Amino acid sequence: MKSKTTAILLCFFLGGLGIHRFYLRQTGMGILYLLTCGILGIGTLIDFIRLLLMSDADFNAKYNAVPAQA
């Protein structure tokens, strides 16, 4: 289960490396952030603000949803 607080802290301290994206299981975006220094810092700032303003219910629905089994 992913923690919103952990995601915010990772974004703040290691956002330029995309660590918060890897934590949230968004590997492709994590690699992009890693190669572009958080898309020149602008992407990291946007992610940080978005995570701060996101409600706990929205965060859980988006990142802690149980994937459907085929």
Side-chain angles (χ1 to χ4, degrees):
M1 188 161 164
K2 302 297 177 196
S3 165
K4 181 179 171 186
T5 304
T6 302
I8 290 170
L9 290 173
L10 286 172
C11 184
F12 184 78
F13 290 109
L14 300 169
L17 299 175
I19 302 302
H20 64 291
R21 292 290 188 157
F22 289 110
Y23 176 72
L24 296 173
R25 294 187 188 136
Q26 296 176 333
T27 308
M29 286 298 291
I31 293 170
L32 179 66
Y33 274 46
L34 185 62
L35 295 175
T36 62
C37 294
I39 307 177
L40 302 176
I42 297 169
T44 301
L45 179 63
I46 291 170
D47 285 349
F48 182 70
I49 293 169
R50 186 178 50 84
L51 285 168
L52 280 176
L53 298 177
M54 184 182 288
S55 70
D56 289 337
D58 288 341
F59 181 86
N60 288 330
K62 185 169 184 173
Y63 298 112
N64 290 323
V66 178
Q69 303 251 338

